[in-house]
Amino acid sequence: WLMLAELGLGMLAILLLEVNALVIALFAIACLAHEVTMAVDLAYAHAHRDIPPVEQWVHGIQQAIPWIVLLCIAVLHPGQAMALLGLGGESARWTLEWREPGLPPGYLLAFAGAALLLVGLPFAREAWRAAHAVRSHR
C-alpha cells in the first residue's frame, strides 16, 4: 500500500499541477521511494517464503513502470526536465500551480477508473490474500 501511495501522489501531481522542475523532481523522489520500499518488501518476502518466477516478473514490471513514466514526463516537458539538471535555456520553476487549463473531467475519471482496475484492485487482492494467509498461519 505504501508503494501505491508513493506513486499515486506523484501521479496526482502530474495530472493536476503544471508540470515544472518541482513536479518532475517530486515524481523522481516518488520513484526513488517506491524503489526503496520495493527492495524492503522483496527482502522481507524472500526471507519468509519462496518468490515464484511469475511474481518476480510482476515485480520487474512494477519496478520499471515508474521510471518509464518519469522518462515520458521528461520528454513531454523537456525545458523543465533539462532545467532541473541545470541544462538548457529555461529557468527551473519551483512552484506548485494548478494546471491551466485543467485536464477534462472525463480524462481524469477514465484515468482513475483504469488505475482502480489495473492497480488498486490487484493491490487490494494481494493485501486480502496476505491477511488471509497470516490468519490461516496462526
Side-chain angles (χ1 to χ4, degrees), residues 63-86:
Q63 189 173 13
I65 287 175
W67 297 106
I68 293 167
V69 170
L70 180 61
L71 179 62
C72 290
I73 294 302
V75 167
L76 291 171
H77 302 277
Q80 286 299 293
M82 296 295 284
L84 178 62
L85 301 173

Side-chain angles (χ1 to χ4, degrees), residues 5-29:
E6 290 161 351
L7 291 180
L9 290 173
M11 285 305 302
L12 279 175
I14 288 169
L15 290 169
L16 300 176
L17 301 173
E18 289 292 337
V19 178
N20 58 26
L22 178 57
V23 171
I24 295 170
L26 289 173
F27 193 80
I29 290 167

